[in-house]
Every structure is written in structure tokens, then in C-alpha cells.
Amino acid sequence: MKIIRQFFNIIGESLAGIWRNKTMAFTSSVSIAAMLTLFGVVMLMVLNLNGIVHQTGEKLDKVVFFLKDDAPAADVNAFIDELSQNDKVKSVSYVSRDEALEEFKKGLGENSSIFENLPGGNPLPASLTVEMKELSYGKEIEENYKDLPIVEDHNYYYDFVTQMMKVQNGVKYVGAAIVLILVLVSVLIIHNTIKIAVSNRRKEINIMKYVGATNAYIRGPFLIDGVIFGIVGSVFAGFLTLKLYEYLFERLNPQLYDITGVDLISKAAITNDLFIVFIAIGVGIGFFGSLFSTKRFLDV
């Protein structure tokens, strides 16, 4: 019973302290919310860039060799066999000239009639599509076979994917630096909030010490203050981040898919994890910010 009574007393003291320092409490929660919102924006940018790089890599982890029209069938078959036996190649697909034309017509839809009765016949070459086991193998495959006598031209987008990876890493590092600065600012604001609360209750704390109150009991309300700041800020940041993401998703995803065939991560897929991460970080910042403050400003 004594423990339960002490627990409710600590909760009561915490809520009373928050009410006495409403402005600083509000500032602390807002600072945590601002930090977590920016953290969420950076995190979602990195997650979506990871997804785009991965999906794009799956589409572009192929080298396409366009074959000369007069390439001997025996040489083409030998080329296919050599590629198939390469331990870095996942699969090899042959597309004839007629198949290439049919695929191109499907892509044009209603405008495919422009390819009917073309002078000189089908202008598209036969091709071999080589899918690698890993994206990094593509450069070697390209270099080894691009100059074969039966190869007219080739396509490979490795440089494009690597540039996307560099952008992804840049966003990650810059975002991490910004979030770290905001974490420090949030801890500093909470630190000052608790410092003011301790100063306002200095006499009361001394009386509590004289009557035998433990260090944990005296610190308890301030630690709970920090946790409440963290929860309020993280929940607010979660709703704000998801609303912002929903707005951007509805406007950017259709255009992105039309251009690249790649989707952004859906709001439903991130909602639960986002709130869990936000609350964990918010509570951690609030608790440890208060803990450091009480250790420094409470002589207990």
C-alpha cells in the first residue's frame, strides 16, 4: 500500500509541476515534436530512397545486348551458352526482332498503328537480356561482351543506379547530422525546464529530505515530467509526419510510378512502426534529459 500511495503521490507532484511550468512544458514538448518530425521526414526519405534504389536495381540489373541483323545463328547460340555458363549470370533471355516489335507496339497502345507497313520492315534488332545475380556484376559482363562481332549495341544503367546510391547516402548523413543537433537542442530545453522546476521547489525538496524522503522519490516527479514531454511530443510528431507524408504520397507517387514504374512506401506500411520509434525516442530523450538535470541540480 505504501508503494502504491507513493506512486500516486509522485504522479500528482509531476502533473502539478507541469501545470506550474506550463510554458516551459509546452516548449519542451514542441521541441521534441519538431525534432521527431524532422527525424521522421529524413527517415522516410531514406526508406523511400532505399526502396526506389532496390526496385530500380531489380529493373536495371540487366545488360541488354542488341544483335546485328546478319549475326549467324550459330554465333548467337554460342553467345547464349557462354553467358548461361557464367557463374555471375542469373538468366539469359533471347528476344527476336518480331517479339521486340510486338512488345514495342504494346507499349504504344493505340498509337501502335504507326508501325504498320513500315518502309524497310521491322527496324528493331534481336537482343539478349542478361540478368545478373548481383547488381555489381553488370559492369564486368558489359565490358567482357560489348565488343563481340555480333553485338551492334548494348544498354546498361549501372552508373545511374550508383548515382542514386550516392544521393541516398548523402541524404542519410546530412539527415543524421540535423537530427543529432535537434536531439541536443531538445535535451537542453528539457534540461532547462527541469532546472527551473527544481529551483521553484528548492525549499520543498529540502523539507522532504529532512523528513526522510529517498532520492528516487524526490527525483520521480521530474523523471515523469520528462517522460510525459516525450510522449506528448512524439504523438504529435507522429500525426504531423503521417499527414505530411500522406499529402506528398498522393501527389508524388502517381507521377513517380508513371515515369519509373516504382512505388513509394504506403502510409499503412509505416504507421505502426513510426509511432513505436517516435515514442521510444521521445520517451528516451525526456527521461534522460530529466535524469541528467536532476543529478546536476538536485543535491540528493
Side-chain angles (χ1 to χ4, degrees):
M1 290 297 294
K2 180 181 178 181
I3 295 177
I4 296 175
R5 187 170 62 253
Q6 287 180 339
F7 174 76
F8 282 109
N9 286 340
I10 290 172
I11 295 293
E13 289 292 338
S14 171
L15 296 176
I18 290 174
W19 182 252
R20 281 194 297 267
N21 299 281
K22 294 186 289 293
T23 302
M24 290 300 295
F26 176 77
T27 303
S28 297
S29 296
V30 169
S31 69
I32 292 176
M35 183 277 298
L36 287 174
T37 300
L38 186 53
F39 170 76
V41 170
V42 173
M43 181 178 71
L44 291 174
M45 285 178 64
V46 171
L47 287 175
N48 277 295
L49 280 172
N50 282 339
I52 290 171
V53 170
H54 178 72
Q55 293 179 64
T56 305
E58 288 184 337
K59 295 176 182 294
L60 301 180
D61 65 344
K62 303 173 181 68
V63 180
V64 180
F65 295 101
F66 298 103
L67 305 176
K68 292 180 179 179
D69 293 343
D70 58 354
D75 291 349
V76 173
N77 290 331
F79 187 22
I80 293 173
D81 290 340
E82 184 175 351
L83 287 169
S84 300
Q85 292 170 16
N86 192 311
D87 58 4
K88 296 179 179 179
V89 172
K90 184 176 180 180
S91 66
V92 182
S93 303
Y94 174 77
V95 179
S96 68
R97 298 179 66 199
D98 291 338
E99 289 171 337
L101 182 60
E102 288 302 316
E103 287 295 322
F104 197 74
K105 284 181 176 180
K106 287 180 182 178
L108 291 176
E110 297 178 355
N111 298 320
S112 62
S113 58
I114 63 175
F115 274 86
E116 300 295 337
N117 302 317
L118 280 174
N122 181 1
L124 301 180
S127 63
L128 291 178
T129 300
V130 184
E131 184 177 356
M132 284 77 68
K133 292 181 179 177
E134 292 184 18
L135 182 61
S136 58
Y137 295 156
K139 200 69 177 174
E140 179 182 336
I141 299 295
E142 177 194 27
E143 293 296 329
N144 287 346
Y145 300 108
K146 68 179 183 179
D147 295 323
L148 288 179
I150 63 172
V151 174
E152 180 72 32
D153 199 358
H154 69 284
N155 269 347
Y156 183 47
Y157 299 98
Y158 177 75
D159 292 337
F160 174 72
V161 176
T162 54
Q163 288 301 318
M164 289 183 63
M165 290 179 177
K166 289 180 181 178
V167 172
Q168 171 193 11
N169 289 332
V171 171
K172 188 186 302 182
Y173 294 137
V174 172
I178 293 173
V179 170
L180 178 60
I181 293 171
L182 287 174
V183 167
L184 295 176
V185 171
S186 299
V187 170
L188 181 62
I189 291 175
I190 291 173
H191 172 85
N192 289 331
T193 302
I194 301 301
K195 176 183 175 181
I196 292 172
V198 170
S199 298
N200 291 340
R201 297 183 59 196
R202 176 70 67 183
K203 292 182 180 179
E204 182 182 345
I205 290 170
N206 288 332
I207 294 173
M208 293 170 66
K209 288 167 58 181
Y210 286 134
V211 298
T214 64
N215 293 349
Y217 182 82
I218 296 173
R219 286 195 181 101
F222 301 108
L223 298 180
I224 292 175
D225 286 353
V227 170
I228 291 174
F229 299 156
I231 292 174
V232 172
S234 60
V235 170
F236 179 74
F239 282 112
L240 181 60
T241 303
L242 287 174
K243 277 294 182 186
L244 177 62
Y245 185 71
E246 182 180 23
Y247 174 83
L248 294 175
F249 182 89
E250 290 175 353
R251 281 152 182 79
L252 296 180
N253 192 64
Q255 299 178 35
L256 178 67
Y257 186 81
D258 288 343
I259 296 171
T260 66
V262 172
D263 278 313
L264 296 175
I265 301 171
S266 68
K267 176 185 172 183
I270 61 172
T271 298
N272 292 337
D273 292 339
L274 185 76
F275 273 106
I276 291 172
V277 170
F278 274 21
I279 290 174
I281 294 175
V283 168
I285 290 173
F287 179 83
F288 287 107
S290 299
L291 181 63
F292 296 148
S293 298
T294 54
K295 280 188 174 182
R296 180 174 178 180
F297 295 107
L298 282 178
D299 184 22
V300 294

